[in-house]
Amino acid sequence: SSIVVNIYSKAIEVSSVTLNKSSVEMVEGEKELLIATIKPDNATNTNIVWTSTNKDVATVSDGTVTAISEGTATVLAQVGQL
């Protein structure tokens, strides 16, 4: 008789994501790279999803913020389950 045993590693959830800057002032057309730090360092899912609350003002891709027009936008970096 035999049995198949599947072993999975336990997921280590993200406890926090912090950015290297809390605010940025930019001029239209400028780009600024934001760096996200994920804790704990050994979290299972480290894929960052970047979003802007106002894409008419600023867009973000892989941490690079591009200033589009005058105004205010909030950039979010989110990972896994917070």
Side-chain angles (χ1 to χ4, degrees), residues 43-57:
T44 304
N45 178 6
T46 58
N47 296 321
I48 300 170
V49 177
W50 295 91
T51 54
S52 169
T53 61
N54 190 343
K55 294 178 183 173
D56 293 331
V57 173

Side-chain angles (χ1 to χ4, degrees), residues 4 7 10 21 41 52 54 71:
V4 175
I7 309 295
K10 181 178 178 186
K21 298 184 178 188
D41 295 333
S52 169
N54 190 343

Side-chain angles (χ1 to χ4, degrees), residues 1-81:
S1 161
S2 66
I3 183 172
V4 175
V5 177
N6 295 313
I7 309 295
Y8 300 97
S9 60
K10 181 178 178 186
I12 300 171
E13 300 293 336
V14 171
S15 61
S16 69
V17 178
T18 57
L19 296 176
N20 62 320
K21 298 184 178 188
S22 58
S23 67
V24 176
E25 291 187 12
M26 301 171 70
V27 175
E28 292 175 10
E30 282 186 336
K31 294 183 184 287
E32 180 81 29
L33 177 63
L34 299 178
I35 299 170
T37 302
I38 299 167
K39 293 293 180 186
D41 295 333
N42 63 340
T44 304
N45 178 6
T46 58
N47 296 321
I48 300 170
V49 177
W50 295 91
T51 54
S52 169
T53 61
N54 190 343
K55 294 178 183 173
D56 293 331
V57 173
T59 60
V60 61
S61 177
D62 293 327
T64 300
V65 179
T66 302
I68 305 299
S69 65
E70 187 175 336
T72 301
T74 299
V75 172
L76 303 170
Q78 297 176 301
V79 177
Q81 309 235 329

